[in-house]
Amino acid sequence: MPLTIADLEAGVLDLLEESRTAPKFWTTYETRTAIVEAMNEATLITGEPEVRSNQPFTITANTTFQNMPDGAIALVRVEGPNNVPLFKTSVLALDRSFPGWQNTTDTAPGFWFPYGLTKWGVYPQATADVNCVLTYIAFPVTTARPYTGGEAVPFQVEYEEGLREYAQHTCRFKEAGLDFQQSFPAYRKFLSSMQELTRFAIRKGALRFTLDAGTMAKITDVKGVS
Amino acid sequence: MSLIANDLLTEISLALIDDFVYTTASAPIGTGVQTVTPLSMTGIYIGALLIVGAGTTREIVTVTAVTATTFTATFVNTHPLGELIQAATFAAGLPDYQLFTQAEMLSYMAVIQNDFLVKTRPVYVVGSASIQTSKTVYDYPSDAIRIERIDIAGTKLRNVSTPSLDWANLSWQQSAAAQPDSWYTDKTGAKKYAVTPSPNVGYTATLMYSQSGPDTIALTDTLLVPDPMAHYIKYGMMAVIFGKDGEQRDVDRAQYCGYRYDLGVKIVQVFMEGVVAAEIASETREMLA
C-alpha cells in the first residue's frame, strides 16, 4: 500500500517530540506543508517521479506550441502514433538544421522540443489533431492546500527518511536560535540522500546533484553573544 | 492546482509565529457594505485585506471597521453561511507599530519572484509584435526578461550586434528598405530591440522570450514560478524579512534563508540544463556573412 503524507507526518512529529494525535507547537498545516516542500525539493534534485501518462494528449493541428499537461514539470518523452517516439530537439537545433521549419506541416510530427516549463513544441506541425503519450517529471502533489494527509507519496521507499528529515528541519525553523541550528544535520542528511538518489536518475542528462553547490551558512554561536 | 500568493504568506506567518486569518462567516453575506460576524476575529484589523470565498465568487475585501466580534467591508459577491475567510494579515505589533504589512510582504514576493525568474528563466512566451513601415526600434514586451528569437512568417531573423553590422557595411543604416533579416539590442536603449534593414512595409513578427512576473502581486494571484519551486521564493522573502532592521531582525536565519534561496536557484538552473535542455538561441551573436 503506497505511503501517504499522514504516514510520513507521524514520523516527523516523532522527530519534533510532538504527540502524533494532538501536536501542540506545530499544526498539521505546518507539518504537511513541510513534507510537500521536501517532496518538491526532492523532485527538482532527482527528477522523480517520472510518470508515463495513461491519458492521451492531443497535439493540436496546425500549431507548433502546445501547453504542458496539468501536473507536469518537464517532459522527458513524447510518443506519437503507434507509440513511436518523437525525437527530442531544440529550437536552436531546428533553426540550424531546418531553416523555415515553422512553416512545415506533415501528417504527424517527428520531433518535439521543450520551451521552458509551461510549453513545448512539435515539428513539423500536424495537419490534423494527433494523439500522443507523454512521459514527464510530475508534481509530487497536485492538490490545493490545506493538505488532508491522504495524498500519496510518489517516491520509492529510499526517499522516506530524507523527506522526514527535511520536514522536521523546516518545521524547526520557527524555533530559531540553537534549536533550529541543531536541526542542520537533518537537512544535510536530506541533501546527502538526494545526492545518492540522483545516481539512479539515468537518462536525464546532466541532472546530478553535488553538495559543492553551496556550503552551509555560517551560524553565530548564540551562547557566545554577550 | 497552483499556489496563490496567500499560501506563501501563510507559511511565512507561521515562521514568524504570527496569527493569520482562517475562519468562516457565521451568516450569509450580501453585496455592498456589509458587517460580517466571523467565528474568529483573530488577525482582522482595519485595513487588512481578506480573501472571502472560493472559486468564481472568491474576492479580496478591505476591512474598513472592526468591533470585538465583527468586521465591515464592501463585497461584490454574495457568500453563503460558512463561507471561508482567510488571509495572512501580519497583525503582530498592532495597535502600536505593525512589524510587517501585507503590502510590504507582497512587494517582497514580487521582487524575489522576478529575481528568481531572471536567474533561472523557467517560463517562456511566444508573442507577436507589429513591425511598422520605416520604424526600426521597438520596445520589449512589458513582461519580457530577454528576447531569445525573432522571426517573420517563420523566417528567423539573425541576432546580430551594431559592431557586426558596421563591419559588414558602414552604411548599413542607409540601406534600402526591405523585409528585416536581422535584429539587435545593443545601443538601442533600455529594454528595446531594433530590426534591420528598415522595414519597407508592415510585418507581424513572432517573438520568443523569457517571461518576468508582475511588479505587483495580489493575495489571490498565482505565482509564475511553478509550484515545486515556490518555496525558494519563500526563502528569498525570508532572507529579506529577517535581514531588515526591526524587532524581527535575525541575522542567522536571514543568512540561512539566503543560502537556501541561492541553492534553490542553482538546483533549478541544473534542472533546466539537465532535464529541459531547451536551447532557444545561441548565446553568441550571429556573424553576418
Side-chain angles (χ1 to χ4, degrees):
Chain A
M1 190 167 174
L3 273 188
T4 64
I5 288 181
D7 295 324
L8 286 183
E9 184 182 28
V12 174
L13 291 169
D14 290 343
L15 291 169
L16 294 172
E17 208 175 36
E18 279 276 38
S19 161
R20 287 190 175 192
T21 53
K24 291 190 174 2
F25 191 53
W26 285 278
T27 64
T28 55
Y29 185 99
E30 289 173 279
T31 50
R32 291 170 188 169
T33 301
I35 291 168
V36 173
E37 183 179 310
M39 292 198 284
N40 286 334
E41 183 118 330
T43 292
L44 292 172
I45 292 175
T46 66
E48 296 289 344
E50 253 183 13
V51 171
R52 184 173 183 273
S53 176
N54 54 13
Q55 298 291 329
F57 181 93
T58 302
I59 295 175
T60 306
N62 302 308
T63 306
T64 295
F65 291 95
Q66 317 290 324
N67 289 324
M68 286 285 276
D70 288 341
I73 302 173
L75 290 183
V76 293
R77 180 178 168 86
V78 178
E79 298 167 37
N82 301 316
N83 296 116
V84 175
L86 277 59
F87 290 108
K88 183 178 180 182
T89 183
S90 67
V91 173
L92 181 62
L94 288 172
D95 282 336
R96 287 177 172 167
S97 304
F98 306 112
W101 59 272
Q102 288 163 272
N103 298 325
T104 307
T105 60
D106 204 336
T107 52
F111 297 83
W112 74 275
F113 58 89
Y115 190 69
L117 297 181
T118 57
K119 287 189 181 298
W120 60 287
V122 295
Y123 165 77
Q125 291 182 11
T127 50
D129 285 356
V130 172
N131 280 343
C132 66
V133 176
L134 302 180
T135 304
Y136 50 81
I137 299 172
F139 284 28
V141 172
T142 56
T143 54
R145 297 181 186 183
Y147 304 112
T148 65
E151 298 84 359
V153 176
F155 295 96
Q156 64 193 72
V157 66
E158 286 76 15
Y159 281 73
E160 288 170 25
E161 174 156 357
L163 296 177
R164 279 193 288 264
E165 295 287 1
Y166 182 110
Q168 70 122 333
H169 166 69
T170 301
C171 286
R172 290 170 69 173
F173 179 88
K174 71 176 184 179
E175 293 184 294
L178 262 183
D179 289 323
F180 172 57
Q181 293 170 24
Q182 287 167 350
S183 73
F184 277 38
Y187 182 58
R188 286 197 194 92
K189 206 184 280 188
F190 165 82
L191 290 180
S192 177
S193 292
M194 294 307 115
Q195 182 182 15
E196 199 59 38
L197 288 162
T198 60
R199 300 182 202 283
F200 300 160
I202 57 173
R203 287 183 287 280
K204 283 196 184 70
L207 190 66
R208 291 290 181 270
F209 181 74
T210 163
L211 290 173
D212 292 335
T215 57
M216 189 59 67
K218 179 178 177 299
I219 297 298
T220 304
D221 181 0
V222 175
K223 285 184 180 175
V225 175
S226 60
Chain B
M1 175 68 71
S2 285
L3 294 176
I4 61 173
N6 188 61
D7 290 327
L8 281 194
L9 294 188
T10 301
E11 277 193 69
I12 293 173
S13 265
L14 290 163
L16 293 171
I17 314 183
D18 200 345
D19 289 325
F20 59 93
V21 178
Y22 198 84
T23 184
T24 56
S26 63
I29 305 172
T31 58
V33 178
Q34 300 289 327
T35 297
V36 178
T37 305
L39 293 188
S40 168
M41 282 291 292
T42 299
I44 299 177
Y45 55 87
I46 295 174
L49 300 173
L50 303 179
I51 302 170
V52 181
T56 54
T57 59
R58 185 175 70 180
E59 60 180 309
I60 300 173
V61 300
T62 305
V63 175
T64 55
V66 296
T67 68
T69 56
T70 66
F71 72 87
T72 302
T74 303
F75 292 82
V76 172
N77 303 315
T78 59
H79 301 276
L81 162 72
E83 188 78 291
L84 180 63
I85 302 169
Q86 59 175 326
T89 55
F90 304 101
L94 287 173
D96 299 312
Y97 186 78
Q98 193 174 7
L99 298 179
F100 301 100
T101 67
Q102 289 175 300
E104 175 188 6
M105 291 298 196
L106 290 169
S107 74
Y108 295 156
M109 188 180 296
V111 167
I112 297 298
Q113 177 174 242
N114 279 331
D115 181 76
F116 187 85
L117 290 169
V118 165
K119 289 173 178 170
T120 60
R121 294 199 296 281
V123 183
Y124 287 83
V125 172
V126 181
S128 63
S130 172
I131 302 299
Q132 299 165 32
T133 308
S134 303
K135 182 178 177 183
T136 55
V137 182
Y138 298 86
D139 290 327
Y140 262 41
S142 59
D143 61 344
I145 295 173
R146 187 175 82 173
I147 297 176
E148 305 290 340
R149 182 184 183 277
I150 299 177
D151 74 76
I152 292 176
T155 300
K156 183 173 92 75
L157 274 61
R158 284 174 300 189
N159 183 206
V160 298
S161 65
T162 49
S164 68
L165 290 166
D166 292 340
W167 296 330
N169 176 10
L170 286 174
S171 303
W172 62 272
Q173 287 171 297
Q174 277 74 51
S175 297
Q179 176 170 330
D181 59 19
S182 305
W183 67 284
Y184 58 96
T185 56
D186 60 306
K187 303 169 186 68
T188 56
K191 300 209 91 170
K192 290 185 188 293
Y193 67 97
V195 298
T196 186
S198 175
N200 53 340
V201 295
Y203 298 94
T204 299
T206 300
L207 307 182
M208 294 186 187
Y209 59 88
S210 46
Q211 191 177 20
S212 67
D215 293 331
T216 56
I217 295 179
L219 285 180
T220 52
D221 285 349
T222 55
L223 296 179
L224 195 59
V225 172
D227 286 359
M229 304 171 185
H231 60 288
Y232 301 132
I233 309 301
K234 177 189 73 170
Y235 285 114
M237 291 173 64
M238 291 201 294
V240 174
I241 289 163
F242 288 111
K244 72 168 230 178
D245 197 13
E247 292 297 319
Q248 287 276 18
R249 184 179 58 215
D250 184 333
V251 172
D252 292 335
R253 287 198 290 176
Q255 198 171 10
Y256 168 83
C257 291
Y259 157 75
R260 288 297 310 275
Y261 175 75
D262 290 341
L263 181 60
V265 166
K266 285 181 182 162
I267 287 171
V268 172
Q269 287 173 340
V270 170
F271 185 88
M272 294 297 293
E273 288 171 21
V275 175
V276 184
E279 289 181 297
I280 297 171
S282 170
E283 288 296 323
T284 59
R285 293 288 179 269
E286 294 166 282
M287 296 301 295
L288 294 172

